[in-house]
């Protein structure tokens, strides 16, 4: 769990870093800390797994990644773990999650497959099916982005 | 926005390796063989153009104490705008997409507790009059990787 001061640090760090010579010093000052203390804290957050990374979040659409498919897989219960681990190995798979099923929704494994076109994603998904031997899958494409924002924690 | 090679190189560097040091822009400038000021100007331009959505800390939602789920619902074609408006209002809903499936609206929801998640989903059901919302929280994460090499630089 985070202390109240740590929550404040998270809030500060999730904003855009100031475009000034000493950005961490400016942020540290707002937090009532020394620059070095903040730099150390960032490293500590990294080691504790709290900070996934510090850097840029880029809009894929603007950079040539025009298609991505959520490929969902219907996998027998006793094979989910193995299948998940195998699919995670593919470099074109950016996310691989296990999720619960529901009546009318049999798919346990969710992968996100990136490609430049829909056809390329379908091809990649097909290749994964071929290599893993799991053929009961469905690529579900996004047709429109209704919202995409970066999460801000501890703001409300 | 047109991205020249230098911008692409800069983007690739700052997605993974933004220098967490007292003078990060100077550090990047040295790596790229340009002036610190130019790094700052280029970053500002890419932020303004929306190429960079955020330049800061990306936190692990679980590690900061948040919990999340992926939700899907069936929205009649003529109600898409009004339902999206209700859903997108919630700051914990960071992504919302239309997808080519019977469950055509998919959104992610992060909140500080499962109770808060249930409360938000309850509000959405009530406000949209759509009873069935699949909530598919990840039970296991096999892979999560959010940053990709910038297209044009190398294949990934």
């Amino acid at each position: 769990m985070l202390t109240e001061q740590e929550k404040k640090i998270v809030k500060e760090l999730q904003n855009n870093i100031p475009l000034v010579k000493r950005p961490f010093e400016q942020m540290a000052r707002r937090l009532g800390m020394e620059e070095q203390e903040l730099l150390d804290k960032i490293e500590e957050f990294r080691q504790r797994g709290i900070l996934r990374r510090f850097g840029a979040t880029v809009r894929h659409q603007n950079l040539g990644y025009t298609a991505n498919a959520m490929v969902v897989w219907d996998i027998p219960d006793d094979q989910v773990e193995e299948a998940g681990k195998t699919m995670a190995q593919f470099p074109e798979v950016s996310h691989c999650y296990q999720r619960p099923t529901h009546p009318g929704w049999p798919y346990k494994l969710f992968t996100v497959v990136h490609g430049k076109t829909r056809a390329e994603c379908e091809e990649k998904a097909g290749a994964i099916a071929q290599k893993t031997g799991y053929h009961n899958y469905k690529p579900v494409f996004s047709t429109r982005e209704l919202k995409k924002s970066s999460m801000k924690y501890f703001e409300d | 926005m047109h991205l020249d090679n230098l911008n692409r190189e800069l983007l690739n560097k700052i997605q993974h390796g933004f220098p967490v040091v007292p003078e990060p822009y100077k550090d990047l400038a040295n790596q790229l063989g340009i002036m610190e000021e130019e790094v700052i100007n280029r970053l500002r331009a890419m932020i303004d153009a929306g190429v960079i959505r955020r330049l800061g800390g990306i936190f692990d939602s679980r590690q900061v104490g948040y919990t999340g789920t992926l939700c899907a619902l069936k929205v009649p074609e003529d109600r898409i705008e009004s339902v999206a408006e209700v859903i997108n209002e919630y700051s914990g809903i960071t992504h919302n997409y239309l997808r080519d499936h019977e469950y055509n609206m998919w959104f992610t929801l992060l909140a500080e507790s499962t109770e808060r998640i249930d409360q938000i989903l309850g509000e959405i059901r009530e406000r949209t009059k759509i009873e069935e919302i699949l909530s598919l929280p990840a039970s296991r994460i096999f892979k999560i990787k959010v940053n990709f090499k910038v297209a044009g630089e190398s294949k990934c």
Side-chain angles (χ1 to χ4, degrees), chain A residues 16 21 57 99 118 151, chain B residues 36 53-55 100 136:
Chain A
N16 276 344
K21 271 183 168 295
T57 303
R99 298 183 185 279
R118 204 173 158 123
M151 184 60 190
Chain B
E36 181 180 24
R53 208 165 78 220
R54 183 200 281 182
L55 185 54
D100 59 354
L136 307 167

Side-chain angles (χ1 to χ4, degrees), chain B residues 106-147:
Chain B
W106 291 76
F107 63 86
T108 57
L109 169 56
L110 288 169
E112 282 182 81
S113 64
T114 51
E115 290 74 21
R116 179 68 185 136
I117 284 190
D118 292 343
Q119 188 191 356
I120 290 171
L121 293 181
E123 282 176 27
I124 291 172
R125 284 190 183 96
E126 198 180 310
R127 294 173 66 194
T128 62
K129 309 286 179 230
I130 294 174
E131 268 309 304
E132 192 201 358
I133 302 179
L134 291 186
S135 176
L136 307 167
S139 52
R140 185 150 177 200
I141 297 174
F142 293 103
K143 186 176 194 179
I144 175 164
K145 180 170 173 286
V146 289
N147 34 348

Side-chain angles (χ1 to χ4, degrees), chain A residues 1 4 7-8 11 16 31 34 36 52-53 55 61 71 74 78 85 104-105 108 110 115 121:
Chain A
M1 265 288 116
E4 285 311 307
K7 287 182 185 178
K8 283 191 190 134
K11 278 179 73 169
N16 276 344
L31 290 160
E34 296 297 321
Q36 192 55 47
R52 284 221 311 263
R53 63 189 178 89
Q61 283 85 346
V71 185
D74 181 358
D78 59 344
K85 284 179 178 163
W105 186 263
K108 290 187 197 83
F110 282 62
C121 292

Side-chain angles (χ1 to χ4, degrees), chain A residues 13 16-18 21 50 52-53 56-57 63 93-94 96 98-99 118 143-144 146-147 149 151, chain B residues 3 15 25 36 53-55 57-58 60 81 88 93-94 96 98 100 136 139-140 142-143 145 151:
Chain A
L13 292 175
N16 276 344
I17 181 171
K21 271 183 168 295
I50 292 165
R52 284 221 311 263
R53 63 189 178 89
T57 303
L63 293 166
V93 171
S94 63
C96 181
Q98 182 181 345
R99 298 183 185 279
R118 204 173 158 123
T143 53
R144 195 177 141 198
L146 299 168
K147 184 177 185 185
S149 59
M151 184 60 190
Chain B
L3 294 178
Q15 282 190 79
Y25 306 118
E36 181 180 24
R53 208 165 78 220
R54 183 200 281 182
L55 185 54
I58 311 297
D60 185 300
E81 305 303 324
N88 292 353
I93 294 174
T94 54
N96 186 10
L98 285 185
D100 59 354
L136 307 167
S139 52
R140 185 150 177 200
F142 293 103
K143 186 176 194 179
K145 180 170 173 286

Side-chain angles (χ1 to χ4, degrees), chain A residues 1-2 10 13-24 35 39 42 45-46 48-65 68 70 80-81 84-85 88-91 93-100 102-105 109-110 114 116 118 124 138-154 156, chain B residues 3 8 11 14-25 36 40 43-44 47 49-61 63-66 69-70 80-81 84 87-101 103 105-106 110 112 132 134-151 154-156:
Chain A
M1 265 288 116
L2 302 186
V10 168
L13 292 175
Q14 71 190 352
N15 292 320
N16 276 344
I17 181 171
L19 295 169
V20 298
K21 271 183 168 295
R22 305 281 290 260
F24 294 105
E35 181 185 44
L39 294 172
I42 293 172
F45 276 169
R46 215 193 287 276
R48 283 163 66 189
I50 292 165
L51 182 72
R52 284 221 311 263
R53 63 189 178 89
F54 191 94
T57 303
V58 170
R59 280 194 80 90
H60 288 154
Q61 283 85 346
N62 290 346
L63 293 166
Y65 288 94
N68 73 77
M70 182 178 81
V80 175
E81 179 164 355
K85 284 179 178 163
Q89 311 274 316
F90 287 86
V93 171
S94 63
H95 301 65
C96 181
Y97 292 176
Q98 182 181 345
R99 298 183 185 279
H102 281 270
W105 186 263
L109 269 190
F110 282 62
H114 288 254
K116 291 194 179 61
R118 204 173 158 123
K124 285 177 174 177
K138 202 175 188 48
V140 185
F141 287 93
S142 59
T143 53
R144 195 177 141 198
E145 182 186 297
L146 299 168
K147 184 177 185 185
K148 190 170 189 180
S149 59
S150 297
M151 184 60 190
K152 295 272 178 97
Y153 300 99
F154 312 119
D156 32 69
Chain B
L3 294 178
R8 285 171 191 275
L11 278 180
I14 62 175
Q15 282 190 79
H16 285 283
F18 188 93
V20 179
V21 297
E23 294 181 295
Y25 306 118
E36 181 180 24
I40 289 176
L43 290 175
R44 183 175 292 118
I47 290 168
V51 174
I52 296 173
R53 208 165 78 220
R54 183 200 281 182
L55 185 54
I58 311 297
F59 293 90
D60 185 300
S61 57
Q63 296 294 332
V64 299
Y66 272 58
T69 186
L70 174 69
I80 282 169
E81 305 303 324
I87 288 173
N88 292 353
E89 237 178 61
Y90 295 90
S91 65
I93 294 174
T94 54
H95 296 62
N96 186 10
Y97 289 96
L98 285 185
R99 294 187 179 273
D100 59 354
H101 189 273
Y103 288 99
M105 197 177 285
W106 291 76
L110 288 169
E112 282 182 81
E132 192 201 358
L134 291 186
S135 176
L136 307 167
S139 52
R140 185 150 177 200
I141 297 174
F142 293 103
K143 186 176 194 179
I144 175 164
K145 180 170 173 286
V146 289
N147 34 348
F148 273 72
K149 279 256 178 188
V150 176
S154 70
K155 284 254 172 205
C156 70

